[in-house]
Amino acid sequence: MNYLWAFVVGGLICVAGQLLIDLTKLTPARILVTFVVSGVVLSAVGVWEPLVDFAGAGATVPILGFGHTLAQGVKQAVAQHGLVGVFTGGMTACAGGVSASLIFGFIASTLTKSKSQS
């Protein structure tokens, strides 16, 4: 049953993104930023944890999960380091994922040859 709920919730998040692309004039970059900020807001108001408990990876894998991770990193860093944590917490919490994406992107770019879009 966990797989079903993860699929449904993750799918609904993707449907929301697709509707924003199809029905608005928002650029994909603005939609991504909206999703990240939504993850931060849902985390701040306490809705995120119950959603993750219910949907598991269906909630944590999409870009909303990145916003939640940023918010939790800032929250922990502020508790430990004070105001400096506002600036360092998000990147500390996401350093592994960001580093992995940069490293794997670099490896992919060196092993493949780009093609012209035209």
Side-chain angles (χ1 to χ4, degrees):
M1 201 63 182
N2 292 338
Y3 295 119
L4 175 68
W5 289 122
F7 177 77
V8 169
V9 172
L12 287 173
I13 292 169
C14 293
V15 165
Q18 190 64 50
L19 288 173
L20 286 172
I21 290 171
D22 292 343
L23 302 177
T24 68
K25 294 185 186 240
L26 291 173
T27 63
R30 289 186 179 179
I31 294 170
L32 287 174
V33 169
T34 301
F35 277 11
V36 171
V37 171
S38 298
V40 171
V41 170
L42 290 173
S43 180
V45 297
V47 176
W48 189 256
E49 290 298 327
L51 182 63
V52 170
D53 291 341
F54 176 72
T60 59
V61 172
I63 195 74
L64 291 169
F66 182 69
H68 168 70
T69 302
L70 286 172
Q72 292 305 307
V74 169
K75 183 178 173 183
Q76 290 174 358
V78 166
Q80 292 177 355
H81 306 290
L83 186 60
V84 174
V86 171
F87 303 106
T88 62
M91 283 294 103
T92 302
C94 295
V98 171
S99 297
S101 67
L102 290 172
I103 291 166
F104 292 128
F106 175 75
I107 291 170
S109 70
T110 57
L111 297 177
T112 61
K113 183 175 180 177
S114 62
K115 297 178 183 176
S116 175
Q117 293 294 322
S118 54

